[in-house]
Amino acid sequence: MSTCHGRLAELIRFTAWLTAHGVTSLEDLTDQDCDAYLAHRRYPRDKDGAVVGERGTGTRRLAALIVTDLLNYRDLFTADRVPAGLRPWGGATPSAIAEDTKVRQNKTPPAPDSVLQPLLAAALHMVDIVGPHAAELAEQVRTADQGWSVRADGLTPTTRVPLAEITRVLADYEQAGEPLPLLEDRHIQDRIDAGWSAKDPLTPIALGVLSRQAGFRQFYSPWLPHLRGPAEATLKAVGAERPFGRSAVPIARADGEGNIPWTLPLHRKQATALVGIVHTATLITLAAVTGMRSSELMELQVGCRLPPEEYGPGLVRYRLASKLVKGQPLGGVRDEWVVIETAYRAAALAEQLHDDPVPGAPLFGRFHFNSRYQWFREWVNGPEGQRLGLAPIPEDRLNMRMLRRRLAIEMAYRPGGLLATKIYLRHVSTATT
């Protein structure tokens, strides 16, 4: 409050000084007037007009701040305002003008182009092109977990050989032309270590999955001689493959070099990891194009997308409901963010990828951005990312503050952008911006 009173008092002092020096309209303000006022506030004089000292940097900074405020908030003035081309002191900050070396400057560098361009391109490709298929994959994993995972409900323990039931499951595979499920390599090795032959065609087959699909909790090795005939016959007819992501539809490579299946067949852990990569892509997209702080992204919930508002042909406003946390009372205050359609789509996809998308559940929950970014970068730079034609991301430092600073710079240097950036990023004043 004292800061506001100080600025108001300085503004009154400034306008009175202008009037006394023949400047009756803000539109007539010149760089020379600003220099003269700063000198007036910097050097106190006696009754004869002689300089008797020098005021502190705080006074000088406040004098410069009033002038820059009139520039930064120019768009709010309608009856009278400073000239659009006014650039006193070469556009320097009030602290630099006052020669105040004690004022802390923003040392966070903006995200460099060399990192931001491939990062955002990869994230958008994963959200817009891969995302819908990843949502289907996430649903496949959830359905499998409910129906035939080791944790599925309704499975029956048994010691008898369920020949008829498993034979029916094998017949369903043959009728659908669906390959039998493969085990992960480590489980195949476990079988070999337990005495199974590496040359046995059934060693890599996920017989436990077939048992659970037949309604039984576990597969027992003594059943194998009884089931070998029908199992090998089905294997010969349809083959075997990893259970998730089969028959993936083709998508365009990110580099334009043709079309490829959006994924190769996957084991469950690989499938959940891929869903996690796409989920991280939604987080990176939101962080990069909204400028939301990590605390504000953590407050996003399932159902945060407010209904779009159409203001005319092609003019649609998209909003996300969150909380403003920084500088607010404990628990934050509810707030809304106006975002571009890209961010709105990313939030929608994050909901689809959610493990339990009930309204009000945290969309991202607590997260460590640096870890997730490194994981995403390694995946993009690895075999799968290169298969999709994604450009490698350099191993330079990047954090959410750098993304936010880059967005602020991109917005602020547009016409009227400084005030818009101040409002959008929830800064206390344009001096912060």
Side-chain angles (χ1 to χ4, degrees):
M1 186 65 71
S2 60
T3 301
C4 294
H5 286 163
R7 292 168 92 159
L8 179 59
E10 188 68 28
L11 178 60
I12 294 171
R13 186 180 292 112
F14 179 53
T15 54
W17 182 90
L18 288 176
T19 303
H21 287 75
V23 181
T24 58
S25 171
L26 290 176
E27 185 65 38
D28 297 330
L29 188 66
T30 66
D31 290 349
Q32 291 74 24
D33 295 325
C34 298
D35 290 337
Y37 180 70
L38 182 62
H40 165 71
R41 294 293 288 140
R42 179 169 188 161
Y43 301 109
R45 299 173 184 270
D46 62 17
K47 61 182 180 179
D48 298 322
V51 175
V52 294
E54 184 176 8
R55 293 188 175 96
T57 56
T59 299
R60 304 199 300 266
R61 182 177 181 277
L62 188 57
L65 186 61
I66 291 305
V67 178
T68 55
D69 276 351
L70 291 173
L71 283 167
N72 294 337
Y73 293 101
R74 180 181 181 276
D75 293 341
L76 296 181
F77 291 78
T78 55
D80 187 21
R81 55 187 174 185
V82 298
L86 185 67
R87 288 294 180 272
W89 309 297
T93 65
S95 298
I97 296 164
E99 301 170 7
D100 187 356
T101 59
K102 295 181 180 180
V103 176
R104 180 180 179 273
Q105 301 295 323
N106 189 347
K107 296 182 180 179
T108 300
D113 278 338
S114 59
V115 174
L116 184 62
Q117 196 282 329
L119 172 66
L120 198 51
L124 293 175
H125 186 81
M126 298 302 290
V127 169
D128 293 332
I129 306 302
V130 177
H133 307 296
E136 295 177 1
L137 179 63
E139 182 60 31
Q140 291 175 16
V141 173
R142 284 193 289 267
T143 300
D145 287 348
Q146 295 169 2
W148 42 269
S149 77
V150 293
R151 296 180 296 276
D153 296 330
L155 298 178
T156 303
T158 183
T159 55
R160 69 175 181 84
V161 180
L163 180 59
E165 293 89 340
I166 294 181
T167 299
R168 280 197 296 270
V169 170
L170 293 171
D172 291 339
Y173 273 93
E174 287 194 50
Q175 185 175 1
E178 188 78 11
L180 295 179
L182 283 174
L183 283 174
E184 293 184 42
D185 291 344
R186 61 190 180 93
H187 293 313
I188 296 175
Q189 188 59 48
D190 289 342
R191 281 187 174 176
I192 294 174
D193 294 342
W196 290 54
S197 171
K199 297 180 180 180
D200 188 336
L202 297 184
T203 295
I205 304 302
L207 299 172
V209 170
L210 300 179
S211 298
R212 289 187 290 274
Q213 289 175 338
F216 302 99
R217 187 171 300 279
Q218 187 175 351
F219 177 84
Y220 293 96
S221 298
W223 298 353
L224 188 58
H226 305 278
L227 296 169
R228 178 173 293 279
E232 288 188 355
T234 300
L235 177 61
K236 184 176 181 179
V238 298
E241 188 53 271
R242 297 174 182 182
F244 297 100
R246 297 173 170 182
S247 303
V249 299
I251 61 171
R253 283 173 53 100
D255 56 7
E257 297 294 328
N259 296 334
I260 54 170
W262 79 269
T263 183
L264 300 176
L266 305 166
H267 292 299
R268 185 189 181 282
K269 286 186 177 180
Q270 295 170 325
T272 55
L274 179 54
V275 171
I277 287 293
V278 180
H279 192 253
T280 295
T282 67
L283 175 62
I284 291 172
T285 300
L286 283 166
V289 305
T290 68
M292 296 176 75
R293 300 179 179 92
S294 58
S295 58
E296 292 148 3
L297 287 170
M298 291 177 189
E299 292 293 338
L300 289 175
Q301 298 178 346
V302 174
C304 65
R305 292 177 300 123
L306 302 177
E309 300 173 340
E310 187 167 354
Y311 291 88
L315 298 176
V316 182
R317 174 176 290 176
Y318 299 94
R319 296 174 298 150
L320 299 179
S322 182
K323 282 185 178 181
L324 188 59
V325 177
K326 185 176 181 180
Q328 303 301 321
L330 187 64
V333 296
R334 294 191 178 278
D335 203 354
E336 294 179 3
W337 292 77
V338 178
V339 299
I340 61 176
E341 186 181 2
T342 298
Y344 198 79
R345 291 199 308 269
L349 179 59
E351 290 184 358
Q352 292 178 280
L353 299 176
H354 200 284
D355 291 335
D356 187 19
V358 296
L363 190 61
F364 296 107
R366 296 193 62 81
F367 61 82
H368 186 251
F369 180 82
N370 291 353
S371 298
R372 295 189 68 163
Y373 162 64
Q374 291 173 14
W375 178 39
F376 183 80
R377 183 186 63 201
E378 291 172 1
W379 187 90
V380 169
N381 294 350
E384 275 305 296
Q386 297 308 293
R387 190 183 72 85
L388 293 176
L390 300 174
I393 302 171
E395 295 188 7
D396 295 342
R397 185 172 70 93
L398 183 74
N399 55 44
M400 291 192 64
R401 287 186 177 183
M402 296 170 68
L403 290 173
R404 181 177 168 88
R405 182 114 195 268
R406 177 58 182 268
L407 180 65
I409 291 173
E410 293 294 331
M411 292 174 60
Y413 279 92
R414 283 165 169 74
L418 187 62
L419 182 57
T421 304
K422 178 264 178 191
I423 295 171
Y424 180 74
L425 295 182
R426 278 65 170 175
H427 287 158
V428 174
S429 70
T430 52
T432 304
T433 308

